[in-house]
């Protein structure tokens, strides 16, 4: 079992490199290029909001991992499609080969790439729409990006969406040509998803494994959802992994208003303090309130369930939320722990107390490595 967990964690640590792959798209505040990890989170959130299946969401969590090896391929630049297909297949074979039963995940990635099944077509639809609206819902989009959107709608890969999702394309055309934002349920969902883009600018205490910079909360949310997908066999009986993944896609959206509160902070505004809990509850009501009423209530309830950590699903989600930063610290040499003067005893109290109830085998594996690190 420990060898199996080690292989799974190795894969998840390799996935951390996706956070350093920049895309042609930029964030909606125009502050920097979007990276492929936070894009994967955002597209999975798009899929969740628009009613995708669990398999579709899983595809989107995995779909860009090949860019660790081949990089982003902007749609407005020419490339050799055949050579790219072969390069991406080699990358997928290598990366998913790190996992036990990696062939299952490779097959899911290949299904997405082929785009022939209903789940894959839905995933492609989300992957192709998100960049359009990321430009069109920006207050002052870059002119060259607006032209790329126009070309994409007229004769690019988005042109087929005129038949597949006419409502969304009509909204895109209205924004592009008249600057008119959509209304009704579609407008509410797009407004929520545009607001969610701000999570990419919330900086966490944790650093990436290569210690090149601090992680942001959007890519952290993607990484946690991937943790749930890969480590689901270590959950206790009765856990619905699809609900866990959905919780984790949503769980940090409140940080758009509140910011990240480091687990090991010790001041009056410390992690879990009454003032922080109240601020996060206000943020949750505001952010989920952007959605159509029933959907917003459902998402608020799911977030509240995660925060309470009383159900099997929420307990496992919390386990992963504490496990991932510990793994990041182990692999980066304990940079974050040194910054906050964290001891092994602190980790047993703050991490082990959450990881063990939801995933005892995972805590056993992690605890051995924490002991070695602090020894």
């Amino acid at each position: 079992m420990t060898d199996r967990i080690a292989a799974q964690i190795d894969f998840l640590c390799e996935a951390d490199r996706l956070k350093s792959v920049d895309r042609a798209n930029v964030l909606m505040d125009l502050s920097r290029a979007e990276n492929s990890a936070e894009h994967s989170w955002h597209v999975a959130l798009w899929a969740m909001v628009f009613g995708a299946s669990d398999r579709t969401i899983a595809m989107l969590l995995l779909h860009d991992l090949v860019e660790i090896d081949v990089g982003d391929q902007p749609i407005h630049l020419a490339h050799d499609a055949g050579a790219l297909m072969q390069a991406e297949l080699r990358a997928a074979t290598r990366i998913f080969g790190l996992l036990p039963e990696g062939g299952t995940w490779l097959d899911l990635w290949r299904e997405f790439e082929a785009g022939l099944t209903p789940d894959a077509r839905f995933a492609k639809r989300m992957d192709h729409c998100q960049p359009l609206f990321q430009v069109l819902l920006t207050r002052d989009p870059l002119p060259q990006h607006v032209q790329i959107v126009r070309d994409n709608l007229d004769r690019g890969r988005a042109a087929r969406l005129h038949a597949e999702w006419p409502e969304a394309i009509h909204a895109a055309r209205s924004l592009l040509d008249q600057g008119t934002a959509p209304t009704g349920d579609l407008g509410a969902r797009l407004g929520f998803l545009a607001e969610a883009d701000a999570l990419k600018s919330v900086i966490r205490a944790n650093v990436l494994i290569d210690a090149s910079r601090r992680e942001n909360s959007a890519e952290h949310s993607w990484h946690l959802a991937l943790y749930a997908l890969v480590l689901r066999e270590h959950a206790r009986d009765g856990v619905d992994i699809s609900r866990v993944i959905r919780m984790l896609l949503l769980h940090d959206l409140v940080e758009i208003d509140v910011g990240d509160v480091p687990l090991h902070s010790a001041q009056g505004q410390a992690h879990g303090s009454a003032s922080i809990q109240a601020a996060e509850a206000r943020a949750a009501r505001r952010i989920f309130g952007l959605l159509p009423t029933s959907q917003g209530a459902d998402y608020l309830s799911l977030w509240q369930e995660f925060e309470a950590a009383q159900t099997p699903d929420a307990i496992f989600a919390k386990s992963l939320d504490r496990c991932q930063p510990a793994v990041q610290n182990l692999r980066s040499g304990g940079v974050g722990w040194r910054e906050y003067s964290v001891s092994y005893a602190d980790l047993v109290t703050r991490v082990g107390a959450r990881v063990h109830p939801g995933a005892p085998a995972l805590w056993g594996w992690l605890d051995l490595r924490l002991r070695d690190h602090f020894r």
Side-chain angles (χ1 to χ4, degrees):
M1 176 63 80
T2 56
D3 288 347
R4 186 176 180 85
I5 294 175
Q8 292 164 334
I9 295 294
D10 284 345
F11 166 82
L12 290 164
C13 290
E14 179 70 1
D16 190 74
R17 294 175 58 201
L18 196 65
K19 301 169 188 174
S20 298
V21 177
D22 283 343
R23 292 167 44 80
N25 266 40
V26 296
L27 304 193
M28 292 181 67
D29 65 5
L30 307 183
S31 60
R32 62 170 174 83
E34 180 185 53
N35 70 58
S36 293
E38 60 199 1
H39 164 74
S40 297
W41 164 75
H42 208 178
V43 175
L45 186 65
W46 264 73
M48 180 177 168
V49 166
F50 285 108
S53 70
D54 299 335
R55 292 186 76 254
T56 292
I57 293 173
M59 284 180 190
L60 291 169
L61 294 174
L62 299 172
H63 80 290
D64 269 349
L65 283 168
V66 295
E67 293 185 2
I68 291 169
D69 288 0
V70 303
D72 175 53
Q73 305 297 319
I75 60 171
H76 62 288
L77 300 180
H79 57 267
D80 183 330
L84 178 60
M85 184 182 302
Q86 291 302 312
E88 289 185 337
L89 179 58
R90 287 193 297 271
T93 302
R94 181 191 74 79
I95 294 165
F96 296 121
L98 298 173
L99 281 169
E101 294 95 37
T104 300
W105 305 112
L106 178 60
D107 287 346
L108 191 65
W109 175 83
R110 295 181 78 157
E111 181 183 342
F112 168 82
E113 285 297 305
L116 298 177
T117 65
D119 288 335
R121 285 198 299 271
F122 199 114
K124 288 281 188 182
R125 193 177 307 153
M126 299 296 102
D127 190 34
H128 295 170
C129 273
Q130 183 260 0
L132 298 177
F133 286 98
Q134 189 154 312
V135 172
L136 294 174
L137 292 172
T138 293
R139 184 183 301 276
D140 295 304
L142 300 175
Q144 62 268 37
H145 287 186
V146 174
Q147 187 58 50
I148 291 168
V149 167
R150 191 179 296 280
D151 293 342
N152 193 7
L153 285 169
D154 289 342
R155 54 186 176 274
R157 68 185 188 182
R160 71 172 213 286
L161 298 173
H162 288 273
E164 285 190 21
W165 198 6
E167 184 184 15
I169 296 307
H170 175 74
R173 282 289 183 195
S174 295
L175 282 162
L176 187 61
D177 297 332
Q178 290 90 40
T180 304
T183 58
D185 283 0
L186 177 62
R189 291 184 176 108
L190 290 174
F192 167 80
L193 290 164
E195 180 71 2
D197 193 77
L199 194 64
K200 301 168 189 174
S201 297
V202 176
I203 305 304
R204 292 169 45 79
N206 261 29
V207 298
L208 304 193
I209 286 174
D210 66 6
S212 60
R213 63 167 173 84
R214 293 188 188 272
E215 182 185 50
N216 70 61
S217 292
E219 60 198 5
H220 165 72
S221 297
W222 164 75
H223 211 178
L224 278 184
L226 192 64
Y227 262 66
L229 193 64
V230 169
L231 298 173
R232 55 188 176 179
E233 67 192 74
H234 307 298
R236 293 185 183 274
D237 291 345
V239 169
D240 181 344
I241 204 65
S242 66
R243 294 188 77 251
V244 172
I245 288 171
R246 290 163 192 261
M247 279 183 189
L248 293 171
L249 291 173
L250 296 175
H251 82 291
D252 269 348
L253 282 168
V254 295
E255 294 185 0
I256 291 169
D257 290 0
V258 181
D260 174 58
V261 182
L263 174 63
H264 302 292
S265 58
Q267 304 305 314
Q269 299 294 305
H271 187 94
S273 67
S275 60
I276 291 297
Q277 288 179 349
E280 289 181 341
R282 287 192 299 273
R285 290 192 295 272
R286 181 190 74 80
I287 293 166
F288 298 127
L290 298 173
L291 286 160
T293 302
S294 177
Q295 188 173 28
D298 288 345
Y299 285 14
L300 177 61
S301 177
L302 194 62
W303 177 82
Q304 290 169 335
E305 180 183 342
F306 171 82
E307 286 297 305
Q310 297 297 313
T311 66
D313 294 345
I315 290 169
F316 186 57
K318 284 283 188 181
S319 294
L320 300 178
D321 193 29
R322 295 295 169 89
C323 177
Q324 185 260 6
V327 171
Q328 298 285 109
N329 267 285
L330 282 171
R331 292 298 179 100
S332 64
V335 173
W337 291 332
R338 288 196 296 276
E339 181 178 356
Y340 286 90
S341 301
V342 175
S343 67
Y344 169 73
D346 292 331
L347 291 169
V348 171
T349 301
R350 299 168 188 167
V351 176
R354 284 293 194 185
V355 178
H356 184 271
L362 187 58
W363 171 245
W365 180 90
L366 182 60
D367 186 39
L368 286 174
R369 283 144 186 84
L370 295 175
R371 290 172 185 270
D372 285 345
H373 176 86
F374 283 92
R375 186 176 296 123

